[in-house]
Amino acid sequence: MNRLHNFSAGPGALPLSVLEEARDEMLSFGTAGASVMEISHRSPEFTAVLEAAKQHLRDLLGLTDEWHVLFLQGGASLQFYQTALNFLGDGQTADYVNTGAWASKAIKEAKRCGNVNVAASSEEDAFSYIPPVDTWKLSDNPAYVHFTSNNTIYGTEFRTDPKVNAPLVCDASSDFLSRPIDLSGYGLIYAGAQKNIGPAGATVVLVRDSFLQTARKGVPTMLDYSVHAAKLFNTPPVFAIYMVEKVLRWLKDLGGLGSMQRRNETKASMLYSQIDSSGFYRGTVQPESRSLMNVTFRLPSEELDARFISEAKSQGLVALKGYRTVGGIRASIYNACEPDSVRALADFMAEFERVNG
Ligand code: PMP
């Protein structure tokens, strides 16, 4: 077996123990006499998986009965449109915070549905910071306020939950379950599974019932959150949910979100302290907005960026190239990226600087 130190931005690394468990169950799952991919999504065996996955989310986040837990398809990209289609009614305005490429895409889709007010943006400074909440120019009575909790491409992250006078709608795709959150201000949270909680194919949506009651009626059936909240409407992404259930169990066994936050802070500080202690590496974002999930930096030249990436690869440290439109280096260190991998990268950075600095 040759598993490398994987810093992929998504789909990202999965816990080894989860992959091993899935491998062992691949041909025959429990008493089903078939793999989990070959049985009805309404069978007792799969129903137990689905209910367990929902319960783990409730336990990890402390979700009360006022929250619906949905596993949808179409990725976070469909959520950009689906949230607006359901919650941005005629004559209403929704406020958006533009902190990067994904936030911009969310804004583009929302404009198809109604009025959008961009309440704050860091675009003028290459999305290098999170605009502080007290600078946001919110509209009078927005239907909701949308933000992106972690900006996968640029490497910035909200470290606290914003407080505003309207329901928060959050794209949490790239830091979901990486830390505890204060749910009190939220109406809806969505996240593609493939970074922190499982493989691609499932999108988690958490929606508060009182917010759901404000949704527009009569939207197309598959895009109507109420339909999915009421019952298991169609075949869900069974294999992805099965894997998510295992990842959530792994997360609970590690001690839950508080422990995960400490582990993530420790990992991120190994890399940021390497950047801060050197005149060689240059972080690309303002320190107070730094992401614990995607650490972005540059070397003194593009040539050195390229050499860093290729030498790292030859030492088993892979997927470090920055996003194609941004360049530089990006180390994605989601929940399942092991501290040992991050230590190996920090050591490599020190050695690369010694030789090339
Ligand atoms: N939002 C964020 C923050 C992301 O990082 C991504 C994917 N990298 C998306 C949305 C789009 O997700 P998907 O590919 O699941 O549609």
Side-chain angles (χ1 to χ4, degrees):
M1 185 170 69
N2 185 23
R3 283 179 65 77
L4 303 173
H5 294 298
N6 180 5
F7 301 97
S8 172
L14 289 166
L16 181 59
S17 61
V18 164
L19 294 170
E20 287 171 340
E21 195 178 293
R23 175 198 60 196
D24 293 346
E25 294 171 351
M26 184 58 78
L27 302 185
S28 177
F29 173 55
T31 55
S35 80
V36 74
M37 290 173 281
E38 302 169 289
I39 59 176
S40 167
H41 56 291
R42 302 191 192 277
S43 63
E45 290 87 354
F46 183 72
T47 302
V49 171
L50 180 61
E51 291 310 315
K54 289 184 179 178
Q55 191 59 47
H56 297 328
L57 279 171
R58 290 190 182 282
D59 295 345
L60 284 162
L61 285 161
L63 295 172
T64 58
D65 287 348
E66 50 174 353
W67 286 88
H68 302 280
V69 178
L70 315 178
F71 289 101
L72 304 182
Q73 299 184 59
S77 297
L78 184 57
Q79 290 307 306
F80 297 158
Y81 181 62
Q82 193 172 353
T83 46
L85 181 69
N86 279 259
F87 293 106
L88 183 48
D90 286 339
Q92 288 184 311
T93 297
D95 287 348
Y96 278 71
V97 181
N98 187 9
T99 51
W102 300 112
S104 304
K105 288 189 175 165
I107 290 167
K108 180 177 173 209
E109 296 305 309
K111 282 182 175 168
R112 299 179 195 280
C113 302
N115 300 325
V116 170
N117 168 46
V118 178
S121 170
S122 49
E123 188 168 14
E124 86 295 344
D125 197 13
F127 296 118
S128 63
Y129 68 99
I130 300 287
V133 183
D134 57 13
T135 66
W136 296 5
K137 299 203 166 39
L138 298 170
S139 50
D140 280 347
N141 187 22
Y144 58 85
V145 177
H146 181 283
F147 74 107
T148 312
S149 52
N150 183 72
N151 299 283
T152 325
I153 295 175
Y154 295 95
T156 60
E157 185 176 19
F158 282 77
R159 291 294 188 79
T160 54
D161 306 288
K163 296 273 175 278
V164 295
N165 279 333
L168 290 167
V169 170
C170 177
D171 174 4
S173 292
S174 53
D175 67 352
F176 191 54
L177 304 186
S178 66
R179 63 174 173 90
I181 60 172
D182 171 5
L183 288 163
S184 58
Y186 288 85
L188 187 147
I189 300 170
Y190 61 88
Q194 68 270 19
K195 298 173 201 299
N196 265 319
I197 63 161
T203 310
V204 174
V205 175
L206 309 175
V207 56
R208 189 191 290 274
D209 191 61
S210 55
F211 186 52
L212 187 56
Q213 301 306 325
T214 69
R216 186 199 291 241
K217 304 280 178 268
V219 302
T221 309
M222 275 300 284
L223 296 176
D224 186 339
Y225 292 115
S226 311
V227 167
H228 298 284
K231 62 176 186 209
L232 186 62
F233 178 73
N234 73 323
T235 316
V238 287
F239 189 74
I241 294 170
Y242 159 86
M243 292 295 284
V244 167
E245 189 279 324
K246 292 184 192 308
V247 175
L248 300 180
R249 190 153 27 92
W250 166 84
L251 188 43
K252 274 176 148 178
D253 289 345
L254 271 181
L257 301 188
S259 303
M260 190 45 75
Q261 178 174 26
R262 286 189 291 281
R263 180 175 134 118
N264 286 330
E265 283 169 352
T266 306
K267 282 167 17 188
S269 74
M270 289 184 213
L271 301 184
Y272 287 124
S273 62
Q274 199 63 46
I275 293 169
D276 290 339
S277 65
S278 105
F280 184 66
Y281 299 108
R282 185 168 50 84
T284 55
V285 304
Q286 297 185 11
E288 61 282 4
S289 299
R290 283 173 167 173
S291 169
L292 299 188
M293 301 282 101
N294 310 97
V295 178
T296 52
F297 56 95
R298 289 181 175 280
L299 283 77
S301 68
E302 285 185 15
E303 192 205 329
L304 280 168
D305 284 346
R307 193 185 308 164
F308 179 96
I309 291 162
S310 85
E311 283 188 21
K313 188 172 177 192
S314 71
Q315 296 193 27
L317 302 148
V318 297
L320 287 164
K321 199 170 184 332
Y323 192 74
R324 53 188 148 67
T325 55
V326 176
I329 314 293
R330 171 176 57 176
S332 297
I333 52 173
Y334 300 124
N335 284 357
C337 178
E338 287 294 329
D340 281 353
S341 291
V342 182
R343 172 49 52 210
L345 175 57
D347 290 347
F348 174 79
M349 288 170 73
E351 179 60 12
F352 191 88
E353 178 177 355
R354 197 185 62 75
V355 174
N356 298 279

